[in-house]
Each structure stands twice: as C-alpha cells, then as structure tokens.
C-alpha cells in the first residue's frame, strides 16, 4: 500500500513539475517603451518659446520606462510612431521644431486646434515632418539602450504662435515617441 | 469497508490534502503576466485566446468515470486526474492589429502557443517597425492535474469536490494556479425499469485562477452513461458547457486605454466523452477522450468505492 501511495506521489510530482519543460527558453517579449514630454508655453505677450526656456529640456531615463527585469535583456529597440499634440485652447496657429538631444527630430506647423487631436507620423499627418538627422539620433539612442541601461534622451522644443495675444495660461506642447524593445526572457 | 481499506482511504485522502496544500505559495509577478501587460485589450485577445479555449476545456474534464451511483449508503472516493487539451496548429498564430495608421493594418504573428513573433515593416514610411511577442509555450498538449473527492450517496446523488493550487513553473515564468470545482450528480437509472446502462445527470462549476491577472469560470451540465463488465467499465456522456476567462490588468501600451478588463469565452460548448476504466477493488484506473471544438483527454487513478 505504501508503495502505491509513494508511486502516485511520485507521478503527481512529475506531472506537476514537467510543465516547465514546455515553456520556450529565451522567448522575446515585445516591450512597450513610451518616451513622452510636454513643454509648458508661458502665458503673456511673448508668442514664442525655445529649448532654453524654463522646464526644458526634459531628460528621460529610458530604463524608467520599462519593467526593471527587462533591463540588460533587450535585444532590439525600434520606434514605430511619432506624435505631436497640444493641451489648452488657443485661437491661432503654431509652428516649430521638436528636438531630441538638441537635434531636430520633427517640424510641425498648423492651426493650434489641428493638434488638439494628436498628429502622428503613422497617421500621415501633413502638419508634422520628421527630420532625418533627428531620426538617426533617435535610432542611435534606442540601439544604445540595448547595451547601456543608463541611456537618457533629452527632449525639447521651440515654436511660435500666431494669432491670439497675449498667450493664455495653460498651454502645452507635447511630443510622444512610440518605441518597442525585444526583451529576452530566459 | 474493510479495516485495510479504511487505512488506505485515510492515507490517500491525507496524501491528497498534503499535496494540494503543500504547493500553496505566493510569487512575484511572473513573466507571463509581465508579457500580457505589454498588450492592450484588443491585441491581447488573439494572443491569449487559445488559453481560454484549452484551459476552458481542461477544467471541465475528468469529473466522472462511472455513472453508477448507489441510491443510498456512504461512499467516498479520491481521484487524481490528469487532463490535457490538444494545441492545434491554427492556435499557434493569429492576425494581430498593427498600431493605428500603420501599413499594413494587420499581420500574422505568434499566439502564446506560437513560435517567433513577426516583425512587420511599415510599407509607406521606411524605418518604422512593429513586432509581436514570441510564443511562451512550446507544446502540443496543454495539461492540468487535479485531485478530487467524491462523497455520496443520498437518494442516488453524490458530490464531487476538486481543489488544487500549483506553484509557479519555469523559473517564475508561469504563475501560481488555483483551481476549485464542485459537481453534483444524480442517478437516473433508479427511475427506469431494468435499464441496461447506468445513467446519471450532473452539473458542475469550476473556478480557476492563474496568477493575479487571469480568472476562469466555467459550468457544465451533462448526461452520463456507463456499463460495467466484470472489472471493465465503459463510460461516456454528452455535455453542454461554458467557460470564460477574465483578464484584468493595467496595460503599458501607450496607444490604448491602460485598463484592460475583458472576458473571453472558451471555444467548447458541447462535449462528447468516451472512456474506459478498470475497477480493481478499491483501486480504479480510467481514461477518456473528449470531443468538441477542443479535443481533450483525461486519465487518472481513483481510490474508494
């Protein structure tokens, strides 16, 4: 009798633990890596802003954007969209440049209200145009992140408003970079 | 019941309790749960739907292996049941949506049972890429194991209780699972004159929690029949069943609302069971095949009457 019970305990143990053998070793999880910053536009009579204004640049540590367990296991990082949007209401137009590490990433231009709905590269927006030098810098930084978890990016913007004056309070300009990394789970 | 049988029953039940309790434990978030959080509610559906189908079929399996229920008298049985659902090729890939505006709008990539995730390039804007996660499980059968206790009989009815909690497996890749279920059966043959088969009907409810994010519920109603020929028991049945998997988590996908709270139904609605068992005194051995939208097999060993 004891033998039978022991045999069944053994069988149970085997069945309960062999599940681990069917899990893929080294599978890749596509990890979201959002990089986003908003820049306040100062209220008043000045209709323009620059990367040297207070609150700029916004420095983002990429490691803070993903689960810590994925750090040091990233194999590839890529971006798949850029978006620009605004916060607040302004009667007039806006145009300017968004920077990554002080290199122009994209230019934007249009009515302020156009940007109340995020304008995206993927959406084929006519209000934003990516800049090759900035895209190259973005790709460089993302690739660097696979080997250096301390990587940071600096986002900033310049721009000018045309129309309503003085500039009302509560306006912001936002830049979003949508990226993904492949984290290997061993 | 003979004294030796009493000892055997006590030992078996104690072993079952020790097993089920011994695996209880708390774990940090597993790789499966962290991987799911990368998906928004729309995207996760295709990735994890096969789990809803296969686990949904697993949790309803193995409840009975004989339709003979004494009309009255104490009866106690303890079973250890192993069940597994077949992973079909079609469950290894699904058509996923790319982010809004991406061209193409969809692409074929791995489910949780698939191989490598697909990388897709935007055909209109060079340099933009998107990728699905790799599959996590590499298996042709998705197994589950559960001990169950059967207690009867009152007016030809018995009750089956099952419970198990299993530890995280694969170096914390798959979370702790906890399953409990209850079933009630009633002898129908007692109302029929000289029935050549033992007949019964049953109703079952199951709850199955996988880590902190996934919660299964399921119920089934079935009609059971069996025929004993010396030590051989042939049994089978027809069942209507329903299972659903609830997913609740905060997604990290920046392109969609963060809260994911959704319910996926399991594929199996009807099940046709064919099985065979051996009754070796107090020891029972049984195996059956279950046919429906999901093909499932279960087998086990039982102690008791």
């Amino acid at each position: 009798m004891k033998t039978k019970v022991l045999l069944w305990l053994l069988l149970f143990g085997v069945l309960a633990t062999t599940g681990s053998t069917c899990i893929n070793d080294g599978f890749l999880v596509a990890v979201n890596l959002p990089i986003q910053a908003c820049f306040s536009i100062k209220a008043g009579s000045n209709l323009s802003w620059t990367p040297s204004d207070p609150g700029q640049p916004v420095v983002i540590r990429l490691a803070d954007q993903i689960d810590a367990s994925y750090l040091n296991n990233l194999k590839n990082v890529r971006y798949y969209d850029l978006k620009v949007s605004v916060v607040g209401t302004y009667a007039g137009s806006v145009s300017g440049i968004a920077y990554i590490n002080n290199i122009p990433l994209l230019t934007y231009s249009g009515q302020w209200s156009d940007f109340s709905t995020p304008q995206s590269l993927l959406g084929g927006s006519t209000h934003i145009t990516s800049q090759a030098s900035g895209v190259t810098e973005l790709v460089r930084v993302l690739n660097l992140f696979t080997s250096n978890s301390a990587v940071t990016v600096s986002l900033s913007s310049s721009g000018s408003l045309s129309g309503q004056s003085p500039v009302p309070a509560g306006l912001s300009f936002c830049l979003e970079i949508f990226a993904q990394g492949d984290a290997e789970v061993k | 019941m003979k004294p030796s049988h009493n000892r055997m029953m006590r030992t078996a039940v104690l072993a079952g309790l020790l097993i089920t309790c011994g695996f209880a434990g708390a774990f940090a978030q597993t790789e499966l749960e962290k991987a799911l959080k990368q998906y928004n509610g729309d995207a996760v559906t295709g990735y994890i739907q096969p789990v809803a189908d296969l686990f949904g079929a697993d949790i309803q399996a193995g409840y009975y292996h004989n339709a003979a229920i004494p009309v009255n008298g104490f009866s106690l049985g303890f079973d250890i049941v192993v069940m597994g659902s077949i992973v079909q090729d079609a469950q290894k890939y699904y058509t996923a949506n790319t982010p809004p505006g991406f061209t193409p709008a969809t692409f074929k990539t791995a489910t949780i049972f698939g191989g490598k995730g697909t990388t897709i390039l935007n055909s209109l804007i060079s340099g933009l890429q998107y990728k699905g996660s790799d599959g996590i499980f590499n298996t042709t059968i998705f197994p589950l194991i559960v001990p169950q206790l059967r207690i009867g009989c009152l007016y030809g009815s018995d009750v089956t209780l099952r419970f198990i909690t299993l530890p995280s497996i694969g170096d914390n890749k798959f979370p702790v699972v906890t399953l409990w279920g209850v079933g009630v059966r009633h002898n129908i043959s007692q109302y029929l004159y000289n029935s050549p088969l033992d007949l019964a009907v049953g109703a079952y409810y199951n709850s199955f929690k996988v880590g902190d994010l996934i919660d299964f519920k399921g119920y089934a109603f079935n009609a059971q029949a069996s025929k004993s020929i010396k030590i051989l028991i042939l049994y089978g049945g027809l069942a209507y069943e329903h299972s659903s998997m609830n997913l609740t988590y905060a997604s990290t996908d920046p392109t969609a609302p963060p809260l994911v709270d959704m319910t996926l139904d399991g594929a199996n609605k009807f099940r046709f069971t064919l099985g065979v068992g051996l009754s070796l005194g107090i020891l029972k051995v049984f195996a059956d095949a279950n046919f429906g939208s999901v093909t499932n097999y279960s087998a086990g060993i039982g102690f008791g009457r």
Side-chain angles (χ1 to χ4, degrees):
Chain A
M1 181 55 228
K2 284 181 181 172
T3 308
K4 284 180 183 173
V5 172
L6 284 172
L7 280 173
W8 278 101
L9 285 172
L10 180 65
L11 173 65
F12 188 91
V14 169
L15 287 166
T17 54
T18 49
S20 61
T21 63
C22 67
I23 294 181
N24 288 321
D25 194 31
F27 63 86
L28 298 179
V29 176
V31 177
N32 297 308
L33 177 61
I35 305 167
Q36 187 254 357
C38 286
F39 313 101
S40 294
I41 300 170
K42 193 177 174 185
S45 56
N46 189 348
L47 297 183
S48 62
W49 69 95
T50 71
S52 58
D53 282 358
Q56 293 209 51
V58 174
V59 177
I60 297 167
R61 186 172 176 263
L62 296 188
D64 294 337
Q65 310 304 307
I66 65 173
D67 190 286
S69 67
Y70 291 137
L71 293 176
N72 304 317
N73 293 310
L74 289 172
K75 299 300 169 190
N76 302 290
V77 184
R78 60 197 156 267
Y79 81 105
Y80 61 87
D81 202 5
L82 304 174
K83 282 186 185 176
V84 169
S85 60
V86 294
V87 176
T89 304
Y90 179 78
S93 60
V94 61
S95 62
I97 303 171
Y99 301 89
I100 180 168
N101 295 343
N102 297 317
I103 300 170
L105 176 63
L106 58 82
T107 59
Y108 59 95
S109 176
Q111 292 298 307
W112 180 270
S113 56
D114 293 332
F115 294 94
S116 296
T117 302
Q119 299 294 306
S120 82
L121 206 58
L122 277 182
S125 172
T126 56
H127 298 294
I128 62 173
T129 306
S130 63
Q131 301 297 303
S133 55
V135 168
T136 302
E137 175 63 8
L138 172 62
V139 170
R140 185 192 72 78
V141 169
L142 294 179
N143 286 334
L144 185 60
F145 186 43
T146 61
S147 57
N148 179 0
S149 59
V151 166
T152 60
V153 294
S154 165
L155 299 180
S156 56
S157 76
S158 64
S160 60
L161 300 168
S162 175
Q164 182 183 353
S165 183
V167 175
L171 302 187
S172 295
F173 167 85
C174 297
L175 170 66
E176 293 175 276
I177 299 168
F178 295 82
Q180 271 189 319
D182 296 334
E184 184 177 29
V185 179
K186 295 175 182 170
Chain B
M1 194 181 284
K2 293 177 184 175
S4 62
H5 286 177
N6 276 330
R7 282 199 303 275
M8 185 176 179
M9 285 302 302
R10 281 201 303 270
T11 309
V13 170
L14 182 62
L17 290 174
L18 285 173
I19 289 166
T20 54
C21 296
F23 280 128
F27 290 84
Q29 199 163 63
T30 60
E31 298 300 342
L32 170 67
E33 292 168 307
K34 284 189 289 185
L36 290 181
K37 287 185 170 184
Q38 306 306 318
Y39 286 92
N40 63 49
D42 177 49
V44 78
T45 303
Y47 186 70
I48 205 169
Q49 178 67 50
V51 171
D53 297 339
L54 301 177
F55 259 147
D58 272 352
I59 61 174
Q60 315 272 19
Y63 262 109
Y64 67 93
H65 38 89
N66 193 337
I69 306 169
V71 174
N72 278 304
F74 181 69
S75 169
L76 182 66
F78 175 73
D79 304 330
I80 295 175
V81 185
V82 181
M83 55 280 271
S85 295
I86 302 298
V87 182
Q88 298 168 359
D89 285 344
Q91 291 173 310
K92 295 182 177 177
Y93 291 91
Y94 75 109
T95 300
N97 291 328
T98 51
F102 205 94
T103 305
T106 62
F107 68 118
K108 190 176 176 184
T109 189
T111 67
I112 197 167
F113 290 104
K116 296 293 180 190
T118 305
T119 300
I120 188 89
L121 304 177
N122 190 295
S123 58
L124 298 181
I125 305 170
S126 67
L128 300 187
Q129 299 178 28
Y130 191 74
K131 185 179 180 296
S133 288
D134 292 351
I136 295 177
F137 298 109
N138 176 20
T139 182
T140 53
I141 189 163
F142 200 52
L144 192 61
I145 184 168
V146 63
Q148 61 188 26
L149 202 60
R150 195 175 50 265
I151 305 167
C153 300
L154 192 62
Y155 301 110
S157 300
D158 65 14
V159 174
T160 305
L161 305 167
R162 50 172 52 173
F163 174 79
I164 193 168
T165 179
L166 290 171
S168 173
I169 60 172
D171 293 331
N172 206 30
K173 291 191 179 79
F174 192 79
V176 173
V177 300
T178 301
L179 180 153
W180 67 266
V182 59
V184 180
R185 298 193 303 164
H186 186 69
N187 180 333
I188 296 299
S189 349
Q190 64 180 315
Y191 306 115
L192 305 173
Y193 176 70
N194 211 16
S195 172
L197 299 174
D198 291 309
L199 300 171
V201 291
Y204 302 88
Y205 180 81
N206 298 284
S207 171
F208 185 31
K209 196 164 172 55
V210 182
D212 296 327
L213 313 185
I214 305 173
D215 200 359
F216 285 85
K217 299 277 187 270
Y219 59 81
F221 303 100
N222 63 27
Q224 309 164 13
S226 71
K227 177 74 176 175
S228 296
I229 308 167
K230 296 186 178 175
I231 63 167
L232 185 70
I233 303 169
L234 301 173
Y235 65 95
L238 281 171
Y240 167 77
E241 65 189 49
H242 174 80
S243 66
S244 60
M245 179 177 80
N246 182 258
L247 277 172
T248 310
Y249 61 90
S251 169
T252 65
D253 186 342
T255 66
L259 179 62
V260 175
D261 185 359
M262 59 191 303
T263 299
L264 303 176
D265 286 340
N268 243 22
K269 300 298 176 200
F270 293 97
R271 173 188 299 249
F272 174 56
T273 300
L274 278 178
V276 61
L278 292 175
S279 180
L280 307 168
I282 203 166
L283 180 68
K284 322 285 183 193
V285 181
F286 51 90
D288 54 55
N290 300 271
F291 304 100
S293 297
V294 176
T295 303
N296 176 280
Y297 298 97
S298 77
I301 186 170
F303 304 91
R305 298 174 64 193

